[in-house]
Amino acid sequence: MTQLSAQEMDIPRRILDNLNLAVLLFDRQLNLTYLNPAAEVLLAASARQVRGVNLKDLLSGEHELVRSCLQTLRSGHPFTEREVSLMLANGRHLTADCTVTPLQEAHQPSELLMELQRVDRQRRILREENLLAQHQASRALVRGLAHEIKNPLGGLRGAAQLLERELHNEALKEYTGIIIGEADRLQNLLNRMLGPNALPHQRNINIHQVIERVRTLTAAEAPPGVRIVRDYDPSIPEFSADPDQLIQALLNIVRNALQAVGQEGQIILRTRTVRQVTLGHQLHKLSIRIDVIDNGPGIAPDMLENIFFPMVTTRADGTGLGLPIAQALVNQHHGLIECSSQPGKTAFTIFLPLETHHEQQ
Ligand SMILES: Nc1ncnc2c1ncn2[C@@H]1O[C@H](COP(=O)(O)OP(=O)(O)OP(=O)(O)O)[C@@H](O)[C@H]1O
Ligand SMILES: [Mg+2]
């Protein structure tokens, strides 16, 4: 027999540790003997807390699943149940596809291997991927359009300037002045539509430097009746990012919140770390989560789906570019912005990855 190297013997453990799928092992009495990190996340409990705990006590009122497991121990037949609704003992509720396979020893099922795949999470990933693709397509369209308008606009402005020089009648110069002024205004708009074109200048930063900068800038603009509350997790480690781009992204979001609350209200700036977040296609071990929460009137449900598209606005003087630009800047950092809203509570959440599963630790 060929000898396995230490590194090869380590492969199953590395696979189990990095698997997205929650894997649990139960003994004949249905006591939990092993769970992988994804299962710890799913159960929101550490291995130390739940090892040895019986399946009955892990799931409150999930008698059906327990019965099926006991049946499998007797019959030796595996089973799969789709979209099982699980109520965890800690009160959390989740929907998962569940596969249970008996492991045989001396022709007797001696252990049960349980695989749980969250379906609400899968649905969320699919929805996010679709949205991301749509945003990218609309961004490309807007950028293409802006690019096409920019060149002839430059020509128009240049011609108006030449004409102005030839004119000696002040009244006529007023007209060329209007052409030049309006061309400049359009130029600024087009530059915003083109969005971030520079690649990020990354360096090691502390996320709170970024947030504090945005806080001081917006606090200066805020009416006296608006309170900006800080709720930071100071233990968030430094990470590599472009601070100017992140300041711009956050500024767009906090300015919207300021506009939403009007003369009186509260904006909370909250930072936390989160484990096991999927952004785009990738599962990230550790990410930063920044919440900007305001108590303004909220965003109408039919509007909420569209706010990250360019040119979507409800403000008379809005261009509808603030959020798509913020999303593009955060995407450049492999992150994502989400939004949830109800009257009195609108939360914009920025996720920024710190550690991914594919990097060697
Ligand atoms: N915190 C919020 N509360 C309520 N509505 C919001 C909030 N943030 C964004 N919105 C809605 O989303 C729309 C789009 O926001 P976005 O920042 O992209 O554009 P804008 O603010 O209208 O214009 P600008 O390009 O000047 O930022 C806003 O017009 C507003 O209707
Ligand atoms: Mg805005």
Side-chain angles (χ1 to χ4, degrees):
M1 229 169 77
T2 47
Q3 284 279 306
L4 289 176
S5 70
Q7 205 186 2
E8 281 170 324
M9 289 203 308
D10 196 33
I11 288 175
R13 190 190 61 81
R14 275 191 291 146
I15 292 175
L16 277 170
D17 280 356
N18 289 289
L19 214 57
N20 256 330
L21 189 73
V23 178
L24 303 101
L25 196 64
F26 293 92
D27 65 14
R28 274 195 70 83
Q29 282 71 45
L30 295 185
N31 293 324
L32 184 62
T33 53
Y34 168 82
L35 72 168
N36 72 342
E40 288 182 71
V41 172
L42 189 115
L43 298 178
S46 72
R48 211 150 36 87
Q49 288 170 318
V50 288
R51 208 175 283 138
V53 174
N54 196 273
L55 179 63
K56 279 202 296 285
D57 303 318
L58 275 181
L59 310 170
S60 64
E62 218 20 82
H63 308 303
E64 194 53 47
L65 189 64
V66 176
R67 251 200 304 278
S68 306
C69 286
L70 289 172
Q71 174 67 24
T72 291
L73 276 173
R74 279 194 296 274
S75 67
H77 297 311
F79 71 88
T80 296
E81 275 184 38
R82 299 244 170 256
E83 308 209 355
V84 191
S85 172
L86 300 175
M87 184 66 154
L88 301 181
N90 59 14
R92 261 165 47 113
H93 178 262
L94 57 99
T95 311
D97 286 345
C98 172
T99 300
V100 174
T101 313
L103 305 184
Q104 310 268 351
E105 203 173 89
H107 306 293
Q108 275 258 343
S110 62
E111 285 175 305
L112 287 187
L113 181 69
M114 183 183 283
E115 299 160 57
L116 291 172
Q117 175 90 54
R118 273 188 80 156
V119 277
D120 35 6
R121 184 167 159 267
Q122 270 176 321
R123 272 198 214 115
R124 188 181 142 239
I125 293 171
L126 204 66
R127 199 179 142 263
E128 254 170 31
E129 277 178 3
N130 281 340
L131 268 180
L132 214 64
Q134 282 176 19
H135 289 149
Q136 269 158 4
S138 71
R139 223 153 43 212
L141 184 75
V142 166
R143 281 176 70 101
L145 200 66
H147 199 81
E148 285 305 303
I149 300 174
K150 235 180 135 165
N151 287 339
L153 188 66
L156 281 178
R157 190 189 189 281
Q161 246 176 339
L162 289 176
L163 191 62
E164 190 170 50
R165 265 188 238 150
E166 300 299 321
L167 290 176
H168 303 293
N169 180 336
E170 284 306 314
L172 291 179
K173 272 191 180 178
E174 203 176 301
Y175 295 133
T176 49
I178 291 174
I179 300 175
I180 294 168
E182 290 297 284
D184 286 344
R185 202 169 64 81
L186 262 181
Q187 186 79 37
N188 280 337
L189 177 67
L190 293 175
N191 285 341
R192 285 197 76 200
M193 283 167 76
L194 282 167
N197 50 6
L199 284 174
H201 293 294
Q202 305 238 341
R203 58 187 167 86
N204 261 1
I205 59 155
N206 183 320
I207 193 63
H208 297 115
Q209 290 167 351
V210 167
I211 300 175
E212 275 298 287
R213 183 71 199 287
V214 173
R215 191 185 64 85
T216 28
L217 283 172
T218 44
E221 298 167 12
V226 175
R227 240 160 56 89
I228 301 183
V229 181
R230 286 178 281 183
D231 175 9
Y232 297 163
D233 172 357
S235 70
I236 296 177
E238 286 202 338
F239 73 119
S240 179
D242 181 330
D244 293 333
Q245 292 200 343
L246 292 184
I247 287 170
Q248 185 61 59
L250 198 60
L251 204 55
N252 289 359
I253 291 173
V254 180
R255 282 217 171 105
N256 283 347
L258 261 184
Q259 284 153 358
V261 295
Q263 290 303 307
E264 242 170 59
Q266 174 173 282
I267 297 169
I268 303 170
L269 303 177
R270 177 176 296 153
T271 59
R272 295 286 184 267
T273 51
V274 274
R275 295 187 178 276
Q276 312 286 356
V277 176
T278 305
L279 307 169
H281 291 274
Q282 195 141 28
L283 177 68
H284 298 282
K285 234 182 200 168
L286 192 66
S287 306
I288 301 177
R289 175 189 171 128
I290 308 166
D291 290 300
V292 177
I293 305 163
D294 72 68
N295 62 354
I299 305 171
D302 55 338
M303 176 84 181
L304 197 57
E305 284 287 303
N306 300 317
I307 51 171
F308 288 104
F309 286 107
M311 312 306 213
V312 173
T313 180
T314 54
R315 295 196 301 111
D317 59 346
T319 55
L321 289 174
L323 288 176
I325 289 172
Q327 185 71 275
L329 291 168
V330 170
N331 287 168
Q332 281 202 8
H333 287 80
H334 310 289
L336 187 78
I337 308 176
E338 285 183 350
C339 176
S340 68
S341 181
Q342 62 194 58
K345 188 175 177 192
T346 298
F348 279 84
T349 305
I350 305 175
F351 291 101
L352 290 167
L354 287 174
E355 279 173 37
T356 67
H357 266 289
H358 299 282
E359 279 167 9
Q360 283 287 300
Q361 298 302 304

